[in-house]
Amino acid sequence: MKFLIAASLVVLLLEVTTAGPAVVPAVQAPVSEGRDPVPTSVEGLALSPVLVSDDLDQPTDVVGAPGDDRLFVVEKAGRIQIVEDGIVGDRPFLDIARWVGSVGNEQGMLSLRFHPDFAENGQVFIFFTDTRGRSQLAGATVDDTGNTVDLSSLRSIMSFPQFGQYHQSGSMMFGPDGYLWVSLGDGGGIGDPLGHGQDINNIDATIIRIDVDNGDPYAVPDDNPFVGTDALPEIWAYGLRNPWRISYDATTGYVYIPDVGQEGSEEINVVSLGAGGRNFGWAVSEGSVCYEAEECDMAGHTLPVYQYLHEGNGCAIIGGEVYRGNLMPELDGHFFLADFCLGWIRSVVLDDTDVHLVVDWITDPENRLGNVTTIGSDRHGELYVANLAGELWRLELARP
């Protein structure tokens, strides 16, 4: 993924085309029964991001905890800061910088998730690259104060080597099934040189689904799609290059999987919670087209529901969640995304199996939000955008 590049990166301020990005019909996206209709008009609306803090260090994830109004912001170097009322706390929620390898562009501490029963069990989960360059999924428990993680409780859940510093991914989500889902990139290199994308005996380039409440250190759910086959049973989906920020929308039952492209386009894949076993095509295909070859066999590939071309649009997609908060009811159902290079904000709305609406919100170069690294939410569903410069913004609508 072409993100977390050195802060001295010269960003080419290319104009986003007013005609809008290329859209691929969502012919393979499932229909969720009984969902509410989404708003169809945004005429006259404009986003007015509110600066919450500019005192962070290369944030990579923004998370709200169950039952807690504070924000928890992951920093690349290996710290998690607590932000309350716009103020960064004096003491980090977690500081394992001495164990985190963050020299590489896409290395470091990459994500945090709270256990669904966090209010009762105090469990948290983190994903990072260590000083040996290995990817680490770890769990821990907060101390009695609830303000810091007890380092003595830190335990390794999964550890595996990486051959490079790129395409680590490492975003996480909990589904309504209580299982932990983790996205993993192909490990780096142009064009997936080790062939991880189509190798279901390798954990890279996949989304895995594991039970962290059972087993030692985890159990594999019996209904994972590759259980009982020759493939790795942890795998839920494969064929991904660098899925940055997977998320689940409980209203529709959809899993959103933005995937950073290589040469030509950035994509969003959307499938239902129970649609495991999908092959998203990398590196046979990139988005809806063959990668490198003029012709390729894309039989069985799940196509993206939406993609945008690099030319004039950006370089790396940053997801992303479906908005379900209260401050902007007009935007209920909009999936928000950004681009790392250009800093624009865009939303996409699905209507059954088609892209129903695409809205460019922040496109003026003077108003863009810099090198956006993540879009996250608090416990109320309000959205926050963080960038490489250490700024944290809350998305709000401009109102009289």
Side-chain angles (χ1 to χ4, degrees):
M1 178 179 174
K2 303 161 288 280
F3 124 87
L4 291 183
I5 307 172
S8 59
L9 172 69
V10 177
V11 180
L12 300 178
L13 295 177
L14 304 175
E15 294 295 332
V16 177
T17 56
T18 56
V23 175
V24 176
V27 293
Q28 300 184 59
V31 179
S32 182
E33 298 295 336
R35 71 184 202 180
D36 295 330
V38 297
T40 58
S41 175
V42 294
E43 184 177 356
L45 299 180
L47 280 183
S48 179
V50 175
L51 182 64
V52 176
S53 173
D54 58 2
D55 196 26
L56 297 160
D57 182 17
Q58 294 185 303
T60 57
D61 199 12
V62 180
V63 189
D68 195 325
D69 286 333
R70 299 175 297 177
L71 285 174
F72 297 80
V73 182
V74 178
E75 295 180 331
K76 183 177 185 288
R79 300 178 184 87
I80 300 174
Q81 304 288 0
I82 297 176
V83 180
E84 186 172 14
D85 297 327
I87 305 298
V88 178
D90 294 332
R91 184 180 180 185
F93 180 65
L94 174 66
D95 185 354
I96 56 169
R98 62 189 181 277
W99 299 328
V100 174
S102 59
V103 176
N105 289 350
E106 295 174 23
Q107 294 177 324
M109 188 181 291
L110 301 174
S111 63
L112 161 74
R113 285 298 176 269
F114 292 86
H115 192 283
D117 297 326
F118 172 75
E120 289 76 38
N121 62 28
Q123 293 185 22
V124 299
F125 299 86
I126 56 174
F127 190 96
F128 64 96
T129 55
D130 65 21
T131 53
R132 299 172 296 167
R134 296 177 65 92
S135 288
Q136 298 280 356
L137 172 63
T141 307
V142 296
D143 62 15
D144 293 339
T145 69
N147 295 321
T148 57
V149 172
D150 179 2
L151 287 182
S152 67
S153 71
L154 198 65
R155 66 191 186 280
S156 177
I157 298 174
M158 184 176 291
S159 173
F160 51 95
Q162 293 287 1
F163 74 93
Q165 61 176 261
Y166 298 97
H167 309 172
Q168 311 296 302
S169 191
S171 66
M172 298 182 287
M173 72 176 200
F174 275 96
D177 47 22
Y179 298 139
L180 181 64
W181 306 50
V182 186
S183 69
L184 305 168
D186 67 13
I190 296 174
D192 189 19
L194 298 186
H196 290 163
Q198 296 299 305
D199 183 0
I200 52 177
N201 288 294
N202 189 290
I203 201 167
D204 286 319
T206 70
I207 292 175
I208 61 172
R209 176 176 177 258
I210 59 176
D211 180 358
V212 293
D213 291 326
N214 295 288
D216 184 17
Y218 63 85
V220 175
D222 292 338
D223 58 348
N224 269 10
F226 295 106
V227 169
T229 73
D230 292 334
L232 291 180
E234 292 91 342
I235 295 175
W236 183 80
Y238 66 104
L240 294 159
R241 181 178 178 273
N242 196 24
W244 188 249
R245 291 290 167 263
I246 58 173
S247 62
Y248 172 66
D249 179 29
T251 300
T252 61
Y254 285 177
V255 179
Y256 282 73
I257 310 168
D259 197 15
V260 178
Q262 179 74 62
E263 303 293 345
S265 66
E266 307 296 307
E267 66 185 73
I268 301 173
N269 303 284
V270 182
V271 296
S272 62
L273 194 73
R278 298 296 184 100
N279 176 9
F280 295 105
W282 178 252
V284 174
S285 58
E286 180 183 4
S288 63
V289 300
C290 296
Y291 177 72
E292 292 188 330
E294 292 185 4
E295 296 183 3
C296 62
D297 183 5
M298 291 198 293
H301 290 191
T302 296
L303 299 179
V305 300
Y306 171 83
Q307 62 185 12
Y308 66 87
L309 304 179
H310 284 183
E311 184 177 357
N313 283 282
C315 75
I317 190 171
I318 302 295
E321 296 185 19
V322 175
Y323 180 71
R324 298 295 182 189
N326 297 315
L327 293 179
M328 307 183 293
E330 302 93 331
L331 303 184
D332 184 70
H334 285 240
F335 176 81
F336 279 82
L337 62 143
D339 185 85
F340 171 74
C341 284
L342 296 190
W344 47 250
I345 303 296
R346 182 175 292 166
S347 66
V348 174
V349 182
L350 297 185
D351 183 8
D352 293 335
T353 57
D354 293 313
V355 171
H356 176 65
L357 191 66
V358 179
V359 185
D360 285 329
W361 290 103
I362 301 176
T363 60
D364 187 332
E366 294 185 359
N367 297 324
R368 294 174 188 168
L369 299 184
N371 298 129
V372 175
T373 54
T374 189
I375 300 175
S377 63
D378 60 21
R379 76 179 185 98
H380 301 289
E382 304 304 332
L383 296 183
Y384 294 79
V385 178
N387 64 23
L388 197 62
E391 297 171 333
L392 178 66
W393 303 80
R394 182 173 60 249
L395 295 185
E396 296 186 7
L397 285 174
R399 299 185 186 280

